[in-house]
Amino acid sequence: MPEDLKRISVSIKHSLKECIACLNTSGKGIALVVDENQRMLGTITDGDIRRAILANIGLDEPVSALLDQKAETHYAQPVTAPA
């Protein structure tokens, strides 16, 4: 994975707090959630974090909790395009 993508990637095991730090450091407004093989599972934005806080998901919860919440919306799967 290219270094610039690594900077905006998090694992489902990272906490929401760590994801916020990733969003803040990269300045891109999006974090890519990847598995151990670096395949994209989803995306997290500032808005997703805000909605998680409003839904009482704690900042120490894993990113997977936020993806579970998103699974119930029409934003469950990221929109992708071939390289």
Side-chain angles (χ1 to χ4, degrees), residues 30 32-33 40-44 67 70 74-81:
I30 192 168
L32 307 178
V33 183
M40 189 166 71
L41 303 174
T43 60
I44 296 180
L67 290 184
K70 283 181 73 170
H74 61 279
Y75 300 109
Q77 297 295 317
V79 177
T80 62

Side-chain angles (χ1 to χ4, degrees), residues 7-8 13 23 25 55 57 59-62 81:
R7 290 186 62 224
I8 63 170
K13 296 176 183 177
L23 288 166
T25 301
I57 296 176
L59 296 180
D60 292 325
E61 293 294 318

Side-chain angles (χ1 to χ4, degrees), residues 11-16 33 44 48-49 51-53 55-72:
S11 159
I12 59 171
K13 296 176 183 177
H14 280 102
S15 69
L16 291 183
V33 183
I44 296 180
D48 293 326
I49 298 289
R51 285 184 284 281
I53 291 169
N56 293 319
I57 296 176
L59 296 180
D60 292 325
E61 293 294 318
V63 167
S64 59
L66 195 151
L67 290 184
D68 290 344
Q69 178 193 18
K70 283 181 73 170
E72 300 172 13

Side-chain angles (χ1 to χ4, degrees), residues 1-9 22-23 25-28:
M1 175 180 289
E3 193 61 36
D4 56 336
L5 289 180
K6 283 183 183 180
R7 290 186 62 224
I8 63 170
S9 299
C22 176
L23 288 166
T25 301
S26 74
K28 301 292 183 191

